[in-house]
Amino acid sequence: MFSKEDILRSAKENKVRLVRLQFSDIFGIMKNVAISVSQLEKALDNELMFDGSSIDGFVRIEESDMYLRPDCSTWLILPWSEDAAIGRLICDIYDTNGQPFAGDPRYILRKALLEAAEMGYAMNVGPEAEFFLFHTDGSGKPTLQTHDDAGYFSLPPVDLGENARRDMVLTLEDMGFEVEAWHHECAPGQDE
């Protein structure tokens, strides 16, 4: 667990210039607002507000003021930052009365975990990311043409996603994730 002081020191030592404050909407779509490192202490003091009425499934315009409260345990310097170091903090959402927002997926998950624990259950979850790799057109926009015709557990040279998956796994491990396995899936261009 990082303290506020740990994060400020890490940001300074690693020459972090920007910080992404991330959260999820009720549909599980990641959202973020970027701040300059000069605003980091204010963020860590839970003083950053945003307009919750602009996020699908959050609140009406009359209740739009909401607070981002960074979870210090999620501090990370993104490994793909090239020009300037970029930090990341995942945030909880609070209302202006200092109460957790009932529609914050992190809050909902914490309540579900507590309820399960009270009933004697333990939850152990993890994502299984499956995705497709597509060619891009001349302007760099994705097409609907998959990059290969490989199948389940195929090998290169038929599996053209091997290098992309490897790079993703190495980056995820740099970020502290444990990756169990990766491979080509059943459909052309489908990876896991």
Side-chain angles (χ1 to χ4, degrees), residues 92-105:
D92 295 307
I93 309 301
Y94 279 73
D95 65 23
T96 54
N97 295 322
Q99 298 301 308
F101 171 53
D104 178 4

Side-chain angles (χ1 to χ4, degrees), residues 10 20 29 46 59 72 75 78 82 90 137-139 170 173 180 183 186-187:
S10 172
R20 293 191 175 280
I29 306 298
N46 303 319
V59 293
C72 290
W75 172 249
L78 298 173
E82 291 182 18
I90 297 174
D137 65 18
S139 62
L170 294 175
E173 288 180 340
E180 190 174 284
H183 58 86
C186 298

Side-chain angles (χ1 to χ4, degrees), residues 9-46:
R9 182 175 40 261
S10 172
K12 185 175 183 177
E13 289 172 359
N14 291 286
K15 297 181 174 64
V16 170
R17 307 249 341 254
L18 304 170
V19 178
R20 293 191 175 280
L21 302 176
Q22 298 179 333
F23 62 97
S24 174
D25 69 16
I26 195 68
F27 304 108
I29 306 298
M30 288 298 298
K31 304 291 184 181
N32 98 125
V33 60
I35 61 171
S36 70
V37 75
S38 66
Q39 297 296 304
L40 180 56
E41 188 166 6
K42 186 176 178 181
L44 293 169
D45 288 337
N46 303 319

Side-chain angles (χ1 to χ4, degrees), residues 40-91:
L40 180 56
E41 188 166 6
K42 186 176 178 181
L44 293 169
D45 288 337
N46 303 319
E47 296 175 1
L48 288 186
M49 295 180 77
F50 73 101
D51 178 1
S53 68
S54 297
I55 305 295
D56 287 338
F58 271 29
V59 293
R60 299 174 302 205
I61 190 72
E62 302 82 34
E63 308 154 327
S64 64
D65 291 340
M66 303 187 93
Y67 285 90
L68 293 170
R69 288 197 181 179
D71 176 348
C72 290
S73 72
T74 66
W75 172 249
L76 176 74
I77 297 173
L78 298 173
W80 56 81
S81 307
E82 291 182 18
D83 297 333
I86 299 173
R88 187 279 327 256
L89 285 161
I90 297 174
C91 298

